[in-house]
Amino acid sequence: MSFTSHFSSFKVDAEAAVVEFVGTTVFLLLGLGGIQVAKGDPTTDSGGSTIEQVLYISTCMGLSLLVSAWLFFRVTGGPFNPNITLALLLVGEIKPLQFVLFCIAQMLGAIAASGLLLALTPGPLSNGVNPAQGVFIEMFITTALVLAVLMLATEKHHATPFAPVGIGLTLFACHLWAVSYTGAGMNTARSFGPAAVTGFPYPKHWVYWVGPCLGSFLGAGFYSIFKHYRYWSRPDQT
Amino acid sequence: MSFTSHFSSFKVDAEAAVVEFVGTTVFLLLGLGGIQVAKGDPTTDSGGSTIEQVLYISTCMGLSLLVSAWLFFRVTGGPFNPNITLALLLVGEIKPLQFVLFCIAQMLGAIAASGLLLALTPGPLSNGVNPAQGVFIEMFITTALVLAVLMLATEKHHATPFAPVGIGLTLFACHLWAVSYTGAGMNTARSFGPAAVTGFPYPKHWVYWVGPCLGSFLGAGFYSIFKHYRYWSRPDQT
Amino acid sequence: MSFTSHFSSFKVDAEAAVVEFVGTTVFLLLGLGGIQVAKGDPTTDSGGSTIEQVLYISTCMGLSLLVSAWLFFRVTGGPFNPNITLALLLVGEIKPLQFVLFCIAQMLGAIAASGLLLALTPGPLSNGVNPAQGVFIEMFITTALVLAVLMLATEKHHATPFAPVGIGLTLFACHLWAVSYTGAGMNTARSFGPAAVTGFPYPKHWVYWVGPCLGSFLGAGFYSIFKHYRYWSRPDQT
Amino acid sequence: MSFTSHFSSFKVDAEAAVVEFVGTTVFLLLGLGGIQVAKGDPTTDSGGSTIEQVLYISTCMGLSLLVSAWLFFRVTGGPFNPNITLALLLVGEIKPLQFVLFCIAQMLGAIAASGLLLALTPGPLSNGVNPAQGVFIEMFITTALVLAVLMLATEKHHATPFAPVGIGLTLFACHLWAVSYTGAGMNTARSFGPAAVTGFPYPKHWVYWVGPCLGSFLGAGFYSIFKHYRYWSRPDQT
């Protein structure tokens, strides 16, 4: 392999690693966020029984991986997990360079998700998010939902007829994290309807217009970027 | 594009917007109805722990979107959400006119769902629905189930072999809303069997004959209407 | 249509109605059985919060329909529900004779399921089933699991690659009913393993050998009968 | 059939029986492990209500079978259950020799799973696993996740586009067992991210590097072995 093809391979791998970073961030933002909700506030006993917490955590992590893997499956096929990446290296599915790049991307994604959770949420289960945090939470979860629609339904592939399942489960996973903080609007109509028939009781109703709209832009932006690079990196994953 | 083709495009878009209205109403009737159940009656502490409520709400919203999106996926592909619609506009999937019509339809659907919930249910978690409300609740949830069967199993498409999954999840989502109010019959045989072997203990057993039968007519009616317009609006969504 | 072809059509419809009877019985045995568990024992407060009960009931009914519809989907396409059957008549999918036969079969199936529950279980949530009842409960749930394997995995059709999903959900639905009564063995190995490593602490371990084995015979018997009649009644349902 | 072909058939059946042994062990390790969690610690009332326990147990067993059957479906089609195997014998799907070998493998698998649970966990719901037990728990659940990725996503077959669903549900099932003991890391990035942003509060963080890495090797090893024998044993199961 010549230097040029080495470099072109590196470029493809680096692009895939960026998607691994984004995917790992989405997976762990929803998953670790849900765990934070399950653990409850240690100062007030708001949580349920042990068994409820375990079921809740399992649901959060399981669904977060299910939907984030589904969204990015055709891009990198990536499980957002260095141990899976190691196994793929061992069975010869990926090459050492990819392995290294993917592991770095996954570690950075995990740090990004943990950092975002620290910044966006006021610690274990509390409703005390301020409007700015609320806007960003709404933006991130709407971005996930937008990506679900664009990657599963707009893109045509074998699983497209089942896009509604993936979209519904994305909404499920986003709720598991965000219900406790913002009520998980991520749909201005969903927030507007009840507010309209009850006389707009909440003064911060604008959060559910601004946050999800930003999510529309962010999701559409990510999709446009992926659209450029996707088909080259994993042409076999249909 | 001539005036005639503009008008014909408007007609197709307006028809799709009507389906968006119906779909958003179904989605939010089940979803917001479930949230009302989860929040419980504030005067009596009938609800569970915080974590139970969050899990319940997430399940309701996730499944409501999953099934309503699945039902209408091939008609409008619509996620019943103006923020998703905005993202579809941004990536060039839909045109500005469609965007405006869909958003109006989605907002009206959200108001319709919220209004129906106010009219049909006596406020947060209460069993005090009167027989007329019970008939309408049974009618609406049976309509959803009938549409699930007709759109997923009767219509032949790629996801038809998996129709039972969609039908079962529709029953799931309908129960999450209606168990607290009518027991969620939506099947006269299901109500008749236990009543027959226990000597018809409930005087209002007729509700489970009248409500679901009205649902059969309403569901079959919607289907016949959709059947006319469907294949023109989204011929690519198979 | 000549008399002969009328009669042959009646024969096909009557066979399909028998499957509707079996399917409705399976659906409601698991579904209503699960509701009985959720309602708990009124004399001792063993149940959970209202929200837990509603979630449990919704899961039971949703999964029971999902799996029983999946099992018999290609035989009658039947939703085990006279209201759905009415809607199918209204849109012209089935003929009046089929409608009448199916409704009768569905009503009888509902009565059979309710009667079986009365006979097999000692009333709301109790562990006081006797060994004979335990054998029959194990037999019925193993039959459901055997049918899931034979109808979804052994039979080759479009959904066969997803048979494990249907089989797992069948096990799920069976557990929701039977965990409270027999522990839901339905697998002699699953019962034998823990018993072997803990020195066979339960004297009635034989129940988990006899009941599931009877279920193997009953399930294989049903399958052999269906095998004869299936392909004629709904040749289009693949 | 000559002696040689008899022997070659025996070899294929014995190989399939080994897979049955591994699959039954995976199924019951996760399933019975989850039941142990649900039953809670009898000395301290850590468990939830009866209804929570039943729902938890049903989820554990249902998902464990779903994912383990999905993983090995194309290898042996095996439901890891002698009663199902008996039914398959009765309808002529498998031969008597296979029946005997499969039943022995399933019984041994059940004993192996029960024995592993005794060795790895300190009895009903306790956090008192020592680091060595933690490493092995992490190793086993990571192995399951690695196999899910390799068997569902890396291998190309009809269900490959839905691999993310199977992988997500595998993570779900693994959590249901292991959250109570190790927190169910099975992904070094997932453990590293939160630890990095909170200053590595747990001294045994190395467990989440060693255990999952061993799981990568074990999973990749199993896969390489299956890869040799698979296509001969069940060429029809695609």
Side-chain angles (χ1 to χ4, degrees):
Chain A
M1 205 186 270
S2 69
F3 176 82
T4 317
S5 74
H6 260 302
F7 180 78
S8 118
S9 162
F10 176 81
K11 185 154 168 288
V12 165
D13 290 349
E15 283 161 10
V18 171
V19 178
E20 274 297 301
F21 170 78
V22 174
T24 308
T25 306
V26 170
F27 162 42
L28 290 177
L29 190 65
L30 297 179
L32 297 178
I35 289 177
Q36 216 172 45
V37 171
K39 292 235 169 109
D41 187 344
T43 59
T44 66
D45 184 26
S46 64
S49 62
T50 304
I51 200 173
E52 278 177 24
Q53 294 192 358
V54 175
L55 184 59
Y56 193 90
I57 289 173
S58 304
T59 310
C60 291
M61 291 299 288
L63 285 184
S64 300
L65 181 59
L66 193 162
V67 300
S68 49
W70 205 344
L71 264 56
F72 300 107
F73 185 48
R74 293 170 65 238
V75 187
T76 68
F80 317 131
N81 185 331
N83 308 101
I84 299 286
T85 312
L86 174 58
L88 292 172
L89 176 73
L90 291 170
V91 302
E93 272 293 300
I94 61 172
K95 292 185 297 292
L97 176 63
Q98 268 179 302
F99 170 71
V100 172
L101 290 175
F102 274 35
C103 283
I104 293 170
Q106 289 155 356
M107 287 297 185
L108 292 178
I111 292 172
S114 305
L116 278 171
L117 282 175
L118 274 189
L120 288 176
T121 57
L125 192 57
S126 151
N127 293 303
V129 295
N130 60 45
Q133 288 174 320
V135 163
F136 279 102
I137 292 175
E138 286 292 322
M139 182 185 78
F140 281 118
I141 56 182
T142 308
T143 302
L145 189 62
V146 164
L147 282 174
V149 171
L150 294 174
M151 302 298 273
L152 302 182
T154 302
E155 289 292 298
K156 301 304 171 213
H157 50 90
H158 282 116
T160 297
F162 299 95
V165 177
I167 295 165
L169 293 177
T170 304
L171 197 80
F172 195 157
C174 291
H175 269 75
L176 287 172
W177 173 40
V179 161
S180 303
Y181 302 113
T182 67
M186 71 182 98
N187 179 342
T188 304
R190 174 251 172 277
S191 304
F192 176 72
V197 302
T198 55
F200 295 93
Y202 304 110
K204 281 158 195 159
H205 183 66
W206 63 266
V207 165
Y208 302 105
W209 288 75
V210 175
C213 269
L214 290 176
S216 306
F217 280 92
L218 192 58
F222 271 128
Y223 174 72
S224 303
I225 295 169
F226 293 153
K227 194 84 183 163
H228 266 100
Y229 300 114
R230 192 159 46 93
Y231 296 107
W232 287 268
S233 54
R234 296 281 287 200
D236 57 319
Q237 205 89 333
T238 55
Chain B
M1 206 187 269
S2 70
F3 176 82
T4 318
S5 73
H6 260 301
F7 180 78
S8 118
S9 162
F10 177 82
K11 186 153 167 290
V12 166
D13 290 350
E15 283 161 10
V18 170
V19 177
E20 274 296 301
F21 169 78
V22 174
T24 307
T25 306
V26 170
F27 162 41
L28 290 177
L29 190 65
L30 296 179
L32 298 177
I35 289 177
Q36 216 171 45
V37 170
K39 293 235 169 108
D41 187 344
T43 59
T44 66
D45 184 26
S46 64
S49 63
T50 304
I51 201 172
E52 278 178 24
Q53 293 192 359
V54 174
L55 184 59
Y56 193 90
I57 289 173
S58 305
T59 311
C60 291
M61 291 300 288
L63 285 185
S64 300
L65 181 60
L66 193 161
V67 300
S68 48
W70 205 344
L71 264 56
F72 300 107
F73 186 48
R74 294 171 64 239
V75 187
T76 69
F80 317 132
N81 184 329
N83 307 102
I84 300 286
T85 312
L86 173 59
L88 292 172
L89 176 73
L90 291 171
V91 302
E93 271 294 300
I94 61 172
K95 293 185 295 293
L97 175 62
Q98 268 179 302
F99 170 71
V100 172
L101 289 175
F102 274 34
C103 283
I104 293 171
Q106 287 155 357
M107 287 298 186
L108 291 178
I111 292 172
S114 305
L116 277 171
L117 281 175
L118 274 189
L120 288 177
T121 57
L125 193 56
S126 151
N127 293 303
V129 295
N130 60 46
Q133 288 174 320
V135 164
F136 279 102
I137 291 174
E138 285 291 323
M139 182 185 78
F140 281 119
I141 57 183
T142 308
T143 301
L145 189 62
V146 164
L147 282 174
V149 172
L150 294 175
M151 302 299 273
L152 302 183
T154 302
E155 289 292 298
K156 301 305 172 214
H157 50 90
H158 282 116
T160 297
F162 299 94
V165 177
I167 295 164
L169 294 178
T170 304
L171 197 79
F172 196 156
C174 291
H175 269 76
L176 287 172
W177 172 39
V179 161
S180 303
Y181 302 112
T182 67
M186 71 180 97
N187 179 343
T188 304
R190 174 249 172 278
S191 305
F192 176 73
V197 301
T198 56
F200 295 93
Y202 303 111
K204 280 159 195 158
H205 183 66
W206 62 268
V207 164
Y208 302 104
W209 289 75
V210 175
C213 268
L214 290 176
S216 307
F217 280 93
L218 192 59
F222 272 128
Y223 174 71
S224 303
I225 295 171
F226 292 154
K227 193 85 184 161
H228 266 100
Y229 300 114
R230 192 159 48 93
Y231 295 107
W232 287 268
S233 54
R234 296 282 287 202
D236 57 319
Q237 205 88 338
T238 55
Chain C
M1 208 187 268
S2 70
F3 175 81
T4 318
S5 74
H6 260 302
F7 180 78
S8 119
S9 162
F10 176 82
K11 186 153 167 291
V12 166
D13 290 348
E15 284 161 10
V18 170
V19 177
E20 275 296 302
F21 169 78
V22 174
T24 308
T25 305
V26 170
F27 162 41
L28 290 177
L29 191 64
L30 297 178
L32 298 178
I35 289 177
Q36 216 171 44
V37 171
K39 293 233 170 110
D41 187 344
T43 59
T44 67
D45 184 26
S46 64
S49 63
T50 304
I51 201 172
E52 278 178 23
Q53 293 193 358
V54 173
L55 184 60
Y56 193 90
I57 289 173
S58 305
T59 310
C60 292
M61 291 299 289
L63 285 185
S64 301
L65 181 59
L66 194 161
V67 300
S68 49
W70 204 345
L71 265 56
F72 299 107
F73 186 48
R74 293 170 64 239
V75 187
T76 69
F80 317 132
N81 183 330
N83 308 101
I84 299 287
T85 313
L86 174 57
L88 292 172
L89 176 72
L90 291 172
V91 302
E93 271 293 301
I94 61 172
K95 292 185 295 295
L97 175 64
Q98 268 179 301
F99 170 71
V100 171
L101 290 174
F102 274 34
C103 283
I104 292 170
Q106 287 155 357
M107 288 297 185
L108 291 177
I111 292 172
S114 305
L116 278 171
L117 282 175
L118 274 188
L120 288 177
T121 57
L125 193 57
S126 152
N127 293 304
V129 295
N130 60 46
Q133 288 174 320
V135 164
F136 279 102
I137 291 175
E138 286 291 322
M139 181 185 79
F140 281 119
I141 56 183
T142 308
T143 302
L145 189 62
V146 164
L147 282 174
V149 171
L150 295 174
M151 302 298 272
L152 302 182
T154 302
E155 289 291 299
K156 301 304 170 214
H157 49 90
H158 282 117
T160 296
F162 299 94
V165 178
I167 295 165
L169 294 177
T170 304
L171 198 79
F172 196 157
C174 291
H175 269 76
L176 287 172
W177 172 40
V179 161
S180 304
Y181 301 112
T182 67
M186 69 180 98
N187 180 342
T188 303
R190 174 250 174 279
S191 304
F192 176 72
V197 301
T198 55
F200 295 93
Y202 305 110
K204 280 157 195 161
H205 183 66
W206 61 268
V207 164
Y208 302 105
W209 289 76
V210 176
C213 268
L214 290 177
S216 306
F217 280 93
L218 192 59
F222 272 129
Y223 174 72
S224 302
I225 295 170
F226 293 155
K227 194 84 184 160
H228 267 101
Y229 300 114
R230 191 159 49 94
Y231 295 107
W232 288 268
S233 54
R234 299 279 289 199
D236 58 319
Q237 205 88 336
T238 55
Chain D
M1 206 187 269
S2 69
F3 175 82
T4 317
S5 73
H6 260 301
F7 180 78
S8 119
S9 161
F10 176 81
K11 185 154 168 290
V12 166
D13 290 349
E15 284 161 9
V18 170
V19 178
E20 275 295 301
F21 169 78
V22 174
T24 308
T25 305
V26 171
F27 162 42
L28 290 177
L29 191 64
L30 297 179
L32 297 177
I35 289 176
Q36 215 171 44
V37 171
K39 292 232 169 111
D41 187 345
T43 59
T44 67
D45 184 25
S46 64
S49 62
T50 304
I51 201 172
E52 278 177 24
Q53 294 192 357
V54 174
L55 183 60
Y56 193 91
I57 289 172
S58 304
T59 310
C60 292
M61 292 298 289
L63 285 185
S64 300
L65 181 59
L66 194 162
V67 299
S68 49
W70 204 345
L71 264 56
F72 300 105
F73 185 48
R74 294 171 63 239
V75 187
T76 69
F80 317 132
N81 184 330
N83 308 102
I84 299 285
T85 312
L86 174 57
L88 291 171
L89 176 72
L90 291 172
V91 302
E93 272 293 301
I94 61 172
K95 292 185 295 293
L97 175 63
Q98 268 179 301
F99 170 72
V100 172
L101 290 174
F102 275 35
C103 282
I104 292 170
Q106 288 154 357
M107 287 297 185
L108 291 177
I111 291 171
S114 305
L116 277 172
L117 281 175
L118 274 189
L120 289 177
T121 58
L125 192 56
S126 151
N127 294 304
V129 295
N130 60 46
Q133 288 174 319
V135 163
F136 279 102
I137 292 175
E138 286 292 322
M139 182 185 78
F140 281 119
I141 56 182
T142 307
T143 302
L145 189 62
V146 163
L147 282 174
V149 171
L150 295 174
M151 302 299 272
L152 302 183
T154 302
E155 289 292 299
K156 302 304 172 212
H157 50 89
H158 282 116
T160 296
F162 299 94
V165 177
I167 294 164
L169 294 177
T170 304
L171 197 79
F172 196 155
C174 291
H175 269 76
L176 287 172
W177 172 40
V179 162
S180 303
Y181 301 112
T182 67
M186 69 180 99
N187 179 342
T188 304
R190 173 250 173 279
S191 304
F192 176 73
V197 301
T198 55
F200 296 93
Y202 304 110
K204 280 158 195 161
H205 182 67
W206 62 268
V207 165
Y208 303 105
W209 288 75
V210 175
C213 269
L214 290 176
S216 306
F217 280 92
L218 192 59
F222 272 129
Y223 174 72
S224 303
I225 296 170
F226 293 156
K227 194 84 184 161
H228 267 101
Y229 300 114
R230 191 158 50 94
Y231 297 107
W232 288 267
S233 54
R234 297 280 289 199
D236 57 320
Q237 206 88 336
T238 54

Coordinates of all heavy atoms in Angstrom, one line a residue, chain B residues 43-72:
Chain B
T43 N -54.7 14.7 45.5 CA -55.3 14.7 46.8 C -55.1 13.4 47.6 O -55.1 13.4 48.8 CB -56.8 15.0 46.7 OG1 -57.4 13.9 45.9 CG2 -57.0 16.3 46.0
T44 N -54.9 12.3 46.9 CA -54.7 11.0 47.5 C -53.4 10.5 47.0 O -53.2 10.5 45.8 CB -55.8 10.0 47.3 OG1 -55.8 9.6 45.9 CG2 -57.1 10.5 47.6
D45 N -52.5 10.0 47.8 CA -51.2 9.5 47.3 C -51.3 8.2 46.7 O -50.9 7.2 47.3 CB -50.2 9.5 48.5 CG -48.8 9.2 48.0 OD1 -48.6 9.4 46.8 OD2 -48.1 8.6 48.8
S46 N -51.9 8.1 45.5 CA -52.1 6.8 44.9 C -50.9 6.4 44.0 O -50.8 5.3 43.6 CB -53.3 6.8 44.0 OG -53.2 7.8 43.0
G47 N -50.1 7.4 43.7 CA -49.0 7.1 42.8 C -47.8 6.3 43.4 O -47.8 6.1 44.6
G48 N -46.9 5.9 42.6 CA -45.7 5.2 43.1 C -44.6 6.2 43.4 O -44.8 7.4 43.6
S49 N -43.4 5.6 43.5 CA -42.2 6.4 43.8 C -41.9 7.3 42.5 O -42.4 7.0 41.5 CB -41.0 5.5 44.1 OG -40.7 4.7 43.0
T50 N -41.0 8.3 42.7 CA -40.6 9.1 41.6 C -40.1 8.3 40.4 O -40.5 8.5 39.3 CB -39.5 10.1 42.0 OG1 -40.0 10.8 43.2 CG2 -39.1 11.0 40.9
I51 N -39.3 7.3 40.8 CA -38.7 6.5 39.7 C -39.7 5.7 38.9 O -39.6 5.5 37.7 CB -37.6 5.6 40.3 CG1 -36.6 5.2 39.3 CG2 -38.2 4.4 41.0 CD1 -35.4 4.4 40.0
E52 N -40.8 5.2 39.6 CA -41.9 4.5 38.9 C -42.6 5.4 38.0 O -43.0 5.1 36.9 CB -42.9 4.0 40.0 CG -42.6 2.7 40.6 CD -43.6 2.4 41.7 OE1 -44.8 2.8 41.5 OE2 -43.3 1.7 42.6
Q53 N -42.8 6.7 38.5 CA -43.6 7.6 37.6 C -42.8 7.9 36.3 O -43.3 8.0 35.2 CB -43.8 8.9 38.4 CG -44.8 8.7 39.5 CD -45.3 10.1 40.1 OE1 -44.8 11.1 39.6 NE2 -46.1 10.0 41.1
V54 N -41.5 8.1 36.5 CA -40.6 8.5 35.4 C -40.6 7.3 34.4 O -40.7 7.5 33.2 CB -39.2 8.9 35.8 CG1 -38.3 9.1 34.6 CG2 -39.3 10.1 36.6
L55 N -40.5 6.1 34.9 CA -40.5 4.9 34.0 C -41.8 4.8 33.3 O -41.8 4.5 32.1 CB -40.2 3.7 34.8 CG -40.0 2.3 34.1 CD1 -38.9 2.4 33.0 CD2 -39.8 1.2 35.0
Y56 N -42.9 5.0 34.0 CA -44.2 4.9 33.4 C -44.4 6.0 32.3 O -44.9 5.6 31.2 CB -45.3 5.1 34.5 CG -46.6 4.7 34.1 CD1 -47.1 3.4 34.3 CD2 -47.5 5.6 33.5 CE1 -48.4 3.0 33.9 CE2 -48.8 5.3 33.1 CZ -49.2 4.0 33.3 OH -50.4 3.6 32.9
I57 N -44.0 7.2 32.6 CA -44.2 8.3 31.6 C -43.3 8.0 30.4 O -43.8 8.1 29.3 CB -43.7 9.6 32.2 CG1 -44.8 10.1 33.3 CG2 -43.5 10.7 31.2 CD1 -44.4 11.3 34.1
S58 N -42.1 7.5 30.6 CA -41.2 7.2 29.5 C -41.8 6.1 28.6 O -41.8 6.2 27.4 CB -39.8 6.8 30.0 OG -39.3 7.7 30.8
T59 N -42.4 5.1 29.3 CA -43.0 4.0 28.5 C -44.2 4.5 27.7 O -44.4 4.1 26.6 CB -43.4 2.9 29.5 OG1 -42.4 2.6 30.4 CG2 -43.9 1.6 28.8
C60 N -45.0 5.3 28.4 CA -46.2 5.8 27.7 C -45.8 6.6 26.4 O -46.3 6.4 25.3 CB -47.0 6.8 28.6 SG -47.8 6.0 29.9
M61 N -44.9 7.6 26.6 CA -44.6 8.4 25.5 C -43.8 7.6 24.4 O -44.1 7.8 23.2 CB -43.7 9.6 26.0 CG -44.4 10.6 26.8 SD -45.9 11.4 26.0 CE -45.0 12.5 24.8
G62 N -42.9 6.8 24.8 CA -42.1 6.0 23.9 C -43.0 5.1 23.0 O -43.0 5.0 21.8
L63 N -43.9 4.3 23.7 CA -44.8 3.4 23.0 C -45.8 4.1 22.2 O -46.2 3.7 21.1 CB -45.4 2.4 24.0 CG -44.5 1.3 24.5 CD1 -45.4 0.4 25.3 CD2 -43.9 0.6 23.4
S64 N -46.3 5.2 22.7 CA -47.4 6.0 21.9 C -46.8 6.4 20.6 O -47.4 6.3 19.5 CB -47.8 7.2 22.7 OG -48.4 6.9 23.9
L65 N -45.6 7.0 20.6 CA -45.0 7.4 19.4 C -44.6 6.2 18.5 O -44.9 6.2 17.3 CB -43.7 8.2 19.7 CG -43.0 8.8 18.4 CD1 -44.0 9.7 17.6 CD2 -41.8 9.5 18.7
L66 N -44.1 5.2 19.1 CA -43.7 4.0 18.3 C -44.9 3.5 17.5 O -44.9 3.3 16.3 CB -43.2 2.9 19.3 CG -42.5 1.7 18.7 CD1 -41.7 1.0 19.8 CD2 -43.4 0.7 18.0
V67 N -46.1 3.3 18.2 CA -47.2 2.7 17.5 C -47.9 3.7 16.6 O -48.2 3.4 15.4 CB -48.2 2.1 18.4 CG1 -47.6 0.9 19.2 CG2 -48.9 3.0 19.4
S68 N -48.0 5.0 17.0 CA -48.7 5.9 16.1 C -47.8 6.2 14.9 O -48.3 6.3 13.7 CB -49.1 7.2 16.8 OG -48.1 7.7 17.5
A69 N -46.5 6.3 15.1 CA -45.6 6.4 13.9 C -45.7 5.2 13.0 O -45.7 5.3 11.8 CB -44.2 6.7 14.4
W70 N -45.7 4.0 13.6 CA -45.8 2.8 12.8 C -47.0 2.8 11.9 O -47.0 2.4 10.7 CB -45.7 1.6 13.7 CG -45.1 0.4 13.0 CD1 -45.0 0.1 11.7 CD2 -44.7 -0.8 13.7 NE1 -44.5 -1.1 11.5 CE2 -44.2 -1.7 12.7 CE3 -44.5 -1.2 15.0 CZ2 -43.7 -3.0 12.9 CZ3 -44.0 -2.5 15.3 CH2 -43.6 -3.3 14.3
L71 N -48.2 3.1 12.5 CA -49.4 3.1 11.8 C -49.4 4.0 10.6 O -49.9 3.6 9.6 CB -50.6 3.5 12.8 CG -51.3 2.4 13.5 CD1 -50.4 1.5 14.3 CD2 -52.4 3.0 14.4
F72 N -48.9 5.2 10.8 CA -49.0 6.2 9.7 C -47.8 6.4 8.9 O -47.7 7.3 8.1 CB -49.5 7.5 10.3 CG -50.8 7.4 11.0 CD1 -50.9 7.5 12.4 CD2 -52.0 7.3 10.3 CE1 -52.2 7.3 13.0 CE2 -53.2 7.1 10.9 CZ -53.3 7.2 12.3

